[in-house]
Amino acid sequence: MPNFKQTNNIFIIVIVFMISGKILFSFSLLWLFIPVFVYSVLLFFGSKNICSQFYVKAKCKDSEKSKIHLTFDDGPHPEITPQILDILKKYNQKAMFFCIGKNIEQYPEISKQIHDEGHTIGNHSFSHSFYFDFFRTKKVIAELEKTNTLIKNITGKECKIFRPPYGVTNPNIAKAVKKLNLQLIGWKIRSLDTVKNKKTVLKRLEKAKPGDIILFHDTKKHTPEILDEFLRSYIQN
């Protein structure tokens, strides 16, 4: 799949060619619908799929292939996150927690527990607003900087990793990520623990291989049970 810049260049060339055809050969402008439709589809899927690398490069698989890489979004949660931490400790696993800034602010002690137990805290925006994808670059930067400050207060270190809400990217988010020199982290396997039942999620996780980045959420009641069963099965195999 071409990236955003390549797509724009191709689209402009096609439009110029078709308009020239209209002038020279009386082509119907109705044909413009085809490139416009294709362009729109590419923008949609490029935005929706964080691992398409369409707007900005994202890490969706790790070069360290000795283990799977667990990630958790949307916390910290006052009840679920501590359960997740206990399970990770039980199986001697480390993980990345992409925390929402407002939740770090509300539950600083749980955020500190994540760090103190050897896990990594990443930026998942401050508000996780449903409209985050429509924010202007300046507002995206403000959210990321505010969350990075909270993370630094907890860990004492600059946060260098970011996962956008819903895994959506666009030009404004890409500009903000580049401006702040952040590494975008995607995933290889989306567990779908927010919308699927335990059996379905575990079935999806059967394909996990060393090096894969797996997306969970430490905000769902059944995720600890799913994680426990998955790690028990994975480690035994």
Side-chain angles (χ1 to χ4, degrees):
M1 183 175 181
N3 61 33
F4 181 57
K5 184 177 180 180
Q6 292 169 336
T7 300
N8 278 345
N9 290 340
I10 293 170
F11 179 69
I12 290 170
I13 291 170
V14 171
I15 293 300
V16 169
F17 173 78
M18 295 188 76
I19 291 176
S20 299
K22 166 65 176 176
I23 295 171
L24 297 174
F25 307 108
S26 299
F27 283 175
S28 172
L29 286 180
L30 288 175
W31 287 102
L32 282 174
F33 171 78
I34 297 175
V36 169
F37 175 76
V38 172
Y39 180 73
S40 300
V41 169
L42 287 173
L43 292 187
F44 174 77
F45 283 104
S47 299
K48 190 171 181 291
N49 182 5
I50 191 173
C51 295
S52 68
Q53 321 292 339
F54 191 69
Y55 294 105
V56 60
K57 289 185 178 180
K59 187 175 184 179
C60 297
K61 208 171 163 62
D62 201 285
S63 57
E64 185 185 349
K65 296 188 176 182
S66 62
K67 60 180 182 179
I68 52 172
H69 300 270
L70 305 172
T71 67
F72 298 87
D73 283 9
D74 296 355
H77 186 280
E79 298 174 5
I80 310 301
T81 303
Q83 294 178 47
I84 296 290
L85 291 172
D86 286 344
I87 293 167
L88 292 173
K89 185 183 295 184
K90 174 182 175 181
Y91 293 101
N92 193 29
Q93 298 290 312
K94 300 301 178 188
M96 289 183 185
F97 287 78
F98 288 92
C99 297
I100 299 172
K102 64 182 181 181
N103 291 345
I104 296 175
E105 213 170 45
Q106 189 172 4
Y107 306 109
E109 70 287 348
I110 300 176
S111 304
K112 188 174 186 304
Q113 183 183 356
I114 292 172
H115 172 68
D116 289 347
E117 295 189 8
H119 306 289
T120 301
I121 299 179
N123 193 324
H124 198 42
S125 81
F126 180 81
S127 65
H128 202 286
S129 169
F130 180 77
Y131 303 103
F132 187 84
D133 312 327
F134 300 98
F135 287 177
R136 299 181 68 176
T137 302
K138 186 176 180 180
K139 189 169 183 179
V140 174
I141 290 174
E143 285 231 355
L144 300 190
E145 287 182 329
K146 188 173 183 179
T147 304
N148 274 356
T149 298
L150 290 167
I151 293 173
K152 186 174 182 180
N153 290 341
I154 296 291
T155 67
K157 300 177 182 178
E158 298 287 347
C159 176
K160 291 296 183 183
I161 56 174
F162 169 60
R163 176 176 284 163
Y166 317 107
V168 173
T169 56
N170 59 40
N172 290 343
I173 291 173
K175 289 175 187 175
V177 166
K178 291 174 182 176
K179 173 75 174 177
L180 299 178
N181 194 29
L182 296 175
Q183 166 74 63
L184 209 65
I185 305 294
W187 54 80
K188 179 66 176 177
I189 298 176
R190 189 172 193 164
S191 71
L192 296 182
D193 57 339
T194 58
V195 293
K196 299 294 184 181
N197 59 37
K198 173 184 169 183
K199 183 178 179 180
T200 302
V201 173
L202 288 172
K203 185 68 177 177
R204 290 178 61 83
L205 294 172
E206 286 179 359
K207 57 186 178 183
K209 299 176 183 178
D212 287 350
I213 297 175
I214 303 175
L215 168 62
F216 290 100
H217 295 80
D218 55 327
T219 54
K220 299 301 174 183
K221 289 184 178 181
H222 67 175
T223 298
E225 183 181 357
I226 290 171
L227 179 67
D228 193 356
E229 191 164 331
F230 167 65
L231 288 176
R232 181 170 65 249
S233 174
Y234 185 84
I235 290 172
Q236 286 176 349
N237 293 334

